[in-house]
Amino acid sequence: MGKSLFQRERKICDENHVAGELQHVKRVLQRNQLKTPHQRHKGHKPPSIERCPVTLPYIKGFTDIIGHILRRASIKTYFKPQKKITQFLRPVKCNIPLQDAGVYKLDCECGLSYIGQTKRNIKTRVKEHIADMKHTKSTKSAISEHTLDKPNHYIRFDNPQILAKENRFIPRMMREAIEIKKHPNFNREDGWQVPPVWDPIIKTIKTQTQQKPAARPQDIVGSFCVQRNTNQLH
């Protein structure tokens, strides 16, 4: 009890009255025959210097020791996990179709196809083909020229197919030239040409390769295709 009274006086009273209040508490304790606690005069603790905090990856049994040492030097420590949940998951962008550079194919209902390549993502290039058709830019786009020459033909913009994903320029151009040889197409003769010596190899590939039906993306040009079909019906 006496110890708590002494501690209370030191906290409440200012420096000018704390000595008198402590003597008063001592006399009250002696008058009531209570034990007077021994007073320890602690040295004045110098104020701590505010330092820049430290952020450490948390490792059980190791970071705790470092944090304790730093706190003794008045350095605050904050712990963070070694990996966040987002670092364990694959980026969402990896699962979105047509987000890569490469070679692609757009089919026409006449049985011919357009083979193209782009260093950007294929989705953007397909949108540019649609814009060329809307503005009838036949000199700029082989697809627009094909649909103008044959108005009843319908380009399957709703079902673009990725033939190869390739960021490097020369491999991408070579792959486009090979795919043009493999598929009946209405491409212009202004791209790279495969030498005739490749013809037997490409013929063998065409007979042995079974083409997989590509998934129909739902996020590119569905509204445009529906609108065009409606206009043709009317």
Side-chain angles (χ1 to χ4, degrees), residues 78-91:
Y78 300 97
F79 300 146
K80 65 177 183 179
Q82 297 185 42
K83 283 189 176 182
K84 299 180 180 179
I85 296 178
T86 54
Q87 294 175 309
F88 289 97
L89 303 176
R90 295 181 61 188

Side-chain angles (χ1 to χ4, degrees), residues 3-213:
K3 183 177 179 181
S4 63
L5 291 174
F6 276 99
Q7 291 176 348
R8 179 183 177 187
E9 297 298 337
R10 290 192 182 98
K11 291 180 180 180
I12 295 177
C13 298
D14 55 21
E15 295 181 358
N16 298 329
H17 299 86
V18 64
E21 291 295 330
L22 290 175
Q23 290 298 327
H24 173 69
V25 171
K26 187 176 181 180
R27 287 194 299 269
V28 171
L29 292 174
Q30 290 175 352
R31 192 179 302 134
N32 289 276
Q33 298 181 355
L34 295 174
K35 183 178 180 180
T36 303
H38 179 69
Q39 301 181 40
R40 295 182 180 180
H41 299 283
K42 297 183 179 179
H44 178 68
K45 185 178 180 181
S48 59
I49 302 174
E50 186 175 354
R51 304 179 186 273
C52 182
V54 177
T55 303
L56 301 173
Y58 182 76
I59 302 175
K60 186 177 181 180
F62 181 75
T63 314
D64 299 335
I65 299 175
I66 297 177
H68 179 69
I69 296 172
L70 293 176
R71 282 194 296 272
R72 291 173 61 184
S74 301
I75 300 176
K76 292 183 179 180
T77 54
Y78 300 97
F79 300 146
K80 65 177 183 179
Q82 297 185 42
K83 283 189 176 182
K84 299 180 180 179
I85 296 178
T86 54
Q87 294 175 309
F88 289 97
L89 303 176
R90 295 181 61 188
V92 179
K93 187 177 180 180
C94 296
N95 299 324
I96 301 176
L98 308 179
Q99 291 291 333
D100 300 286
V103 182
Y104 60 94
K105 180 166 74 79
L106 294 171
D107 295 327
C108 178
E109 288 188 342
C110 68
L112 300 179
S113 302
Y114 174 81
I115 311 297
Q117 62 82 26
T118 179
K119 65 179 180 181
R120 299 167 295 165
N121 62 69
I122 296 174
K123 176 181 177 180
T124 300
R125 189 70 186 100
V126 172
K127 287 184 177 180
E128 291 176 349
H129 285 306
I130 296 174
D132 291 338
M133 283 190 57
K134 286 183 176 180
H135 299 92
T136 63
K137 296 181 179 180
S138 59
T139 58
K140 186 177 180 180
S141 171
I143 293 179
S144 180
E145 181 183 7
H146 181 75
T147 53
L148 289 174
D149 293 342
K150 302 176 176 60
N152 295 328
H153 289 206
Y154 174 59
I155 305 296
R156 295 300 305 272
F157 287 115
D158 59 332
N159 189 27
Q161 300 178 37
I162 302 175
L163 302 179
K165 297 179 181 180
E166 181 59 65
N167 293 316
R168 297 169 297 173
F169 174 71
I170 294 179
R172 190 172 66 246
M173 296 298 293
M174 288 298 299
R175 182 60 183 267
E176 180 193 32
I178 293 173
E179 296 296 339
I180 289 175
K181 278 278 189 178
K182 287 172 55 178
H183 300 89
N185 61 83
F186 52 87
N187 284 67
R188 293 169 176 169
E189 299 295 331
D190 55 357
W192 287 26
Q193 302 293 326
V194 177
V197 70
W198 284 57
D199 290 349
I201 300 175
I202 295 176
K203 184 177 180 180
T204 302
I205 294 174
K206 288 173 62 176
T207 57
Q208 292 181 354
T209 303
Q210 295 182 354
Q211 298 180 358
K212 295 182 180 180

